[in-house]
């Protein structure tokens, strides 16, 4: 029912590399994206991150492109608002709508382009992390960074049960569709409510059984986590450093260039 | 409504993180105390968090035809109170960013503030106010989920407007524009989510009223009356 990015992370070619290094690369690229002043560095990040994710991590290209559609509607709507509201500079485009003059000026258009570029650069970096780093490795990094035990445990249990409930939700949904539970708005609403209600009750009962199961296995307030053995290779660290330096240089050198 | 990765400039990302993290830390502190007192609660909180995630990843029947996801935080706030919900929300938001590419990591602070803090607090206050005035439980749940959603969306619009004020009219004009553009999806979505939440509560009351009693969501009299009414 949902393509969870985590499924792809487990079969990626970069699964076995150091999670810290992958997080460093992804987060570094994200931060450079949001701090760059022109669209050039974010576009560079979007392109290179996509190439890394498809080329090196071997994520299926077709699936990757469907992912890129997710941020599209938000990016276009919000940048549209910014483009129309942000004046200054020459008028590029104007339309008279029901007596309101809507116009796009230079500054607005530039800012909107920057925002779209940043969103795509950021999303591509996020996809890189999501498609190469299984959630369990992210937990172990967080744990080594000093996140309290109960929060790590809580997140891991949540992670486990997300898959259980998604399966159950899919089963219930299929059963409802087969019985025409999605015919018309009223039925759809009712089906959706039944699905959520049953899911909550199942979740609750699952939780009650989980307590017993955990007690039976001597749960003492801490789940042990297997630390990943993967350590970063010097060559990989070097490559990541070079990449971040190149992107910073691009962001710095192009900071005064205007596209429009 | 999630702000996508990369949309907010760096200093706004930092600011919203600075505002959200203390609240989440307070929530974590409270949660830790509750778990220490009663260890049974950790698995229940975990399955509830997973439930909120799955609920928010289900596409809702939407009137405008756009793909719309509920926030589910209104229900969380009614069941667990706003502080604990803020902790569950930030974890759910990280999962949403990494599993479904909804939201992002630099915008996590801003999204936590709107969806995990303001929404649940408003929902909780609305719910409590309704219960104090003896409003019907289902209507109270409907209103709580509705206002939790609407305030989430108002706060998101404020966040976007503050980051990108209009040239003429400043933050206020920009706020109105964002509010207007996203109203098309968010206003009906909130009504649908409210209705679904109320119906969801109806099933819980009918089948497992004791769960609501355990969480101290409603008094035994109310649950009993509702169960008799539907029987």
């Amino acid at each position: 029912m949902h393509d969870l990015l985590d499924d792809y992370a487990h079969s990626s070619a970069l699964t076995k590399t150091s999670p810290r290094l992958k997080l460093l690369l992804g987060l570094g690229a994200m931060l450079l994206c949001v701090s760059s002043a022109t669209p050039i560095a974010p576009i560079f990040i979007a392109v290179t991150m996509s190439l890394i994710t498809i080329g090196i991590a071997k994520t299926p290209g077709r699936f990757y492109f469907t992912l890129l559609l997710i941020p599209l509607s938000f990016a276009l709507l919000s940048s549209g608002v910014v483009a129309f509201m942000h004046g200054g500079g020459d008028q590029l485009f104007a339309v008279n709508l029901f007596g309101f003059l809507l116009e796009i000026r230079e500054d607005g258009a530039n800012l909107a382009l920057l925002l779209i570029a940043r969103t795509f650069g950021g999303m591509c970096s996020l996809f890189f992390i999501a498609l190469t780093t299984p959630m369990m490795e992210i937990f172990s990094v967080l744990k080594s960074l000093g996140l309290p035990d109960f929060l790590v445990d809580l997140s891991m249990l949540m992670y486990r049960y997300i898959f259980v409930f998604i399966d159950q939700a899919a089963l219930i949904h299929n059963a409802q569709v087969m019985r025409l539970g999605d015919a018309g708005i009223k039925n759809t609403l009712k089906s959706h409510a039944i699905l959520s209600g049953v899911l909550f009750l199942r979740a609750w009962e699952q939780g009650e059984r989980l307590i017993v199961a955990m007690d039976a296995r001597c749960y003492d307030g801490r789940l042990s986590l297997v630390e990943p053995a993967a350590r970063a290779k010097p060559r990989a660290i070097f490559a990541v450093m070079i990449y971040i330096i190149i992107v910073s240089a691009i962001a710095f050198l192009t900071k005064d260039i205007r596209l429009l | 409504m999630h702000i996508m990765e990369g949309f907010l400039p760096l200093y706004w990302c930092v600011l919203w993180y600075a505002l959200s993290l203390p609240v989440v830390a307070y929530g974590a502190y409270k949660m830790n105390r509750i778990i220490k007192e009663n260890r049974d609660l950790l698995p229940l909180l975990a399955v509830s968090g997973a439930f909120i995630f799955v609920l928010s990843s289900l596409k809702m029947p939407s009137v405008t035809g756009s793909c719309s996801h509920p926030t589910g935080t209104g229900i969380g706030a009614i069941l667990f109170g706003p502080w604990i919900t803020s902790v569950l929300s930030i974890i759910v938001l990280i999962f949403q960013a990494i599993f479904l590419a909804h939201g992002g990591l630099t915008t996590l602070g801003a999204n936590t503030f709107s969806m995990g803090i303001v929404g649940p607090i408003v929902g909780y206050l609305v719910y409590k106010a309704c219960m104090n005035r003896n409003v019907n439980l289902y209507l109270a749940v409907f209103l709580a989920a509705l206002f939790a959603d609407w305030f989430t969306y108002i706060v998101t619009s404020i966040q976007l407007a503050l980051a990108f004020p209009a040239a003429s009219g400043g933050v206020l004009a920009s706020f109105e524009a964002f509010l207007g553009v996203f109203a098309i999806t968010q206003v009906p979505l909130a009504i649908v989510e409210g209705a679904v939440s109320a119906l969801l509560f109806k099933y819980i009351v009918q089948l497992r009223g004791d769960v609501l009693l355990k969480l101290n969501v409603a008094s035994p009299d109310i649950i009993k009356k509702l169960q008799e009414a539907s029987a």
Side-chain angles (χ1 to χ4, degrees):
Chain A
M1 125 177 199
H2 259 293
D3 277 324
L4 288 183
L5 305 189
D6 198 60
D7 298 343
Y8 289 86
H10 285 283
S11 54
S12 135
L14 287 179
T15 309
K16 298 252 183 293
T17 47
S18 150
R20 279 165 189 261
L21 195 66
K22 285 182 282 189
L23 284 177
L24 180 75
L25 176 61
L27 291 175
M30 271 177 205
L31 287 178
L32 284 170
C33 257
V34 292
S35 40
S36 83
T38 59
I40 295 167
I43 290 171
F44 179 78
I45 289 174
V47 173
T48 45
M49 277 294 169
S50 304
L51 288 178
I52 293 172
T53 312
I54 297 175
I56 302 180
K58 304 270 186 266
T59 305
R62 185 187 283 266
F63 172 68
Y64 190 81
F65 284 108
T66 57
L67 283 183
L68 286 179
L69 296 177
I70 297 175
L72 198 66
S73 67
F74 175 84
L76 290 184
L77 265 181
S78 312
S79 321
V81 172
V82 170
F84 281 110
M85 300 304 291
H86 215 80
D90 294 336
Q91 193 184 62
L92 294 175
F93 168 81
V95 58
N96 203 326
L97 199 72
F98 311 117
F100 289 101
L101 182 68
L102 289 176
E103 55 177 3
I104 296 183
R105 288 173 178 278
E106 237 175 45
D107 286 358
N110 269 321
L111 187 62
L113 281 182
L114 174 63
L115 288 179
I116 293 175
R118 274 184 187 168
T119 306
F120 275 93
M123 288 314 286
C124 289
S125 318
L126 184 65
F127 289 148
F128 168 75
I129 294 181
L131 291 168
T132 60
T133 319
M135 206 63 208
M136 280 315 205
E137 295 191 349
I138 299 182
F139 291 141
S140 67
V141 172
L142 286 177
K143 194 170 182 157
S144 65
L145 291 177
L147 196 73
D149 279 335
F150 78 98
L151 282 180
V152 177
D153 285 3
L154 183 72
S155 318
M156 285 199 324
L157 288 174
M158 253 160 98
Y159 172 73
R160 164 79 187 95
Y161 278 92
I162 281 173
F163 295 100
V164 176
F165 297 149
I166 281 185
D167 281 349
Q168 296 196 344
L171 283 178
I172 299 171
H173 183 73
N174 288 342
Q176 288 177 336
V177 171
M178 281 203 301
R179 290 163 181 79
L180 299 182
D182 61 344
I185 284 277
K186 209 180 143 199
N187 274 330
T188 319
L189 269 183
K190 203 170 150 226
S191 301
H192 195 88
I194 295 178
L195 197 163
S196 329
V198 171
L199 207 58
F200 177 78
L201 293 175
R202 290 233 180 124
W204 194 265
E205 277 158 13
Q206 198 86 250
E208 286 172 339
R209 267 179 279 152
L210 181 62
I211 298 165
V212 179
M214 282 163 70
D215 278 343
R217 285 161 184 78
C218 307
Y219 175 66
D220 61 348
R222 185 185 301 170
L223 295 172
S224 51
L225 198 67
V226 184
E227 287 285 327
R231 297 184 66 91
K233 289 195 191 89
R235 227 176 57 193
I237 299 176
F238 186 67
V240 168
M241 287 303 155
I242 293 286
Y243 179 79
I244 288 180
I245 290 170
I246 290 177
V247 176
S248 318
I250 292 177
F252 183 75
L253 292 175
T254 59
K255 70 180 195 303
D256 296 322
I257 293 177
R258 288 171 67 98
L259 284 189
L260 287 175
Chain B
M1 196 178 73
H2 299 78
I3 300 179
M4 286 290 173
E5 175 60 53
F7 205 80
L8 289 180
L10 188 61
Y11 46 92
W12 286 107
C13 296
V14 173
L15 179 87
W16 292 115
Y17 262 110
L19 285 174
S20 302
L21 284 182
V23 180
V24 175
Y26 179 69
Y29 163 76
K30 277 196 95 157
M31 190 187 258
N32 194 17
R33 241 184 28 196
I34 295 171
I35 290 174
K36 281 238 169 73
E37 255 170 48
N38 185 355
R39 275 194 7 205
D40 294 0
L41 279 174
L42 182 81
L44 287 176
L45 285 173
V47 292
S48 310
F51 168 74
I52 292 178
F53 176 89
V54 175
L55 191 68
S56 68
S57 72
L58 297 172
K59 286 195 185 82
M60 296 254 280
S62 166
V63 191
T64 47
S66 71
C67 142
S68 37
H69 298 271
T71 60
T73 49
I75 298 172
I78 296 172
L79 292 175
F80 303 109
W83 308 118
I84 295 208
T85 306
S86 75
V87 183
L88 291 179
S89 294
I90 195 168
I91 301 176
V92 166
L93 283 169
I94 294 175
F95 282 148
Q96 282 177 338
I98 293 183
F99 282 4
L100 303 172
H102 288 289
L105 295 181
T106 55
T107 51
L108 181 67
N111 286 332
T112 304
F113 191 79
S114 66
M115 298 176 59
I117 296 174
V118 175
I121 288 179
V122 168
Y124 186 76
L125 291 179
V126 168
Y127 180 76
K128 282 286 160 201
C130 286
M131 290 324 268
N132 286 342
R133 284 177 185 73
N134 282 323
V135 178
N136 176 291
L137 175 76
Y138 303 138
L139 183 63
V141 172
F142 172 78
L143 291 174
L146 180 80
F147 281 102
D149 260 21
W150 276 347
F151 270 83
T152 299
Y153 135 73
I154 289 171
V155 171
T156 309
S157 302
I158 294 175
Q159 288 171 333
L160 290 171
L162 282 173
F164 307 107
S168 58
V171 174
L172 201 65
S174 182
F175 169 62
E176 283 168 7
F178 279 115
L179 209 59
V181 166
F182 291 115
I184 306 160
T185 52
Q186 297 301 312
V187 169
L189 178 64
I191 297 172
V192 173
E193 179 167 357
V196 167
S197 306
L199 284 171
L200 187 160
F201 260 70
K202 199 172 151 197
Y203 290 108
I204 299 178
V205 167
Q206 281 172 5
L207 296 167
R208 287 289 304 268
D210 59 307
V211 171
L212 296 182
L213 290 182
K214 193 174 172 195
L215 288 170
N216 213 358
V217 170
S219 68
D221 304 344
I222 295 175
I223 303 275
K224 210 166 166 208
K225 232 167 69 192
L226 288 172
Q227 276 173 338
E228 278 164 6
S230 61

